Amino acid sequence: MRFAKPFTVTIAGAALIALPFAGSALADGARPQPAPTAKAPHAEPAQQVRKDDKHKDARRQAISLKVAVNPSRVRAGSSYGVTILVRGLSSGTAVVTSPEGKSYRVSLSDGRATKELTVPSRARAGSKTVTVKVGNKTATADFTVVAPKEPKRQDRDDRRHDGRK
């Protein structure tokens, strides 16, 4: 094979031919980077709160619950009343739990409710507690159970049944 023109390679030409092959090596070389800056830790993004949620939270915090037992001394076998007063909530449901562990649902009307319960006739004398729960609020009321009355012994004359004296 013979070339029509003699092939001569100059330094500039060789550099141009080698440049595409060396380009990747040059690109991988370390380049000066900007100095790192310290970033302040950012806070969690604020959660979007609907107006309804704000009012619900305010209602939960504004609710107060009071419970009372009347009378405060109850004989075994007798009834007693549980009075519930809720401020900040006009309607809803209260759950009354007796000292024996039985639960009763009571509807609130204008923030008030009552429930009549009976002490079992075989209940032991002593302090007892009634628990009431409305929403996430819980309140208790204490009362005392006293022994049942002894039946009265009637002094009667068994000889006279007709009521004459």
Side-chain angles (χ1 to χ4, degrees), residues 73-77 121 123-126 144-150:
R73 294 176 56 86
V74 184
R75 292 202 182 277
S121 59
R124 293 182 126 181
T144 304
V145 173
V146 294
K149 270 187 174 177
E150 292 292 324

Side-chain angles (χ1 to χ4, degrees), residues 17 36 52 62 65 76 83 122 136 144 147-148:
I17 293 172
D52 295 342
L65 175 62
T83 304
R122 299 198 185 270
N136 63 349
T144 304

Side-chain angles (χ1 to χ4, degrees), residues 117-133:
L117 300 175
T118 302
V119 176
S121 59
R122 299 198 185 270
R124 293 182 126 181
S127 180
K128 306 291 181 184
T129 302
V130 173
T131 304
V132 176
K133 186 170 183 177

Side-chain angles (χ1 to χ4, degrees), residues 15-33:
L16 288 175
I17 293 172
L19 187 61
F21 299 111
S24 64
L26 292 174
D28 291 338
R31 291 185 183 165
Q33 298 291 323

Side-chain angles (χ1 to χ4, degrees), residues 100-115:
E100 295 79 36
K102 293 182 182 179
S103 294
Y104 306 91
R105 290 187 171 278
V106 181
S107 295
L108 296 172
S109 176
D110 293 328
R112 297 176 185 265
T114 57
K115 177 68 178 169

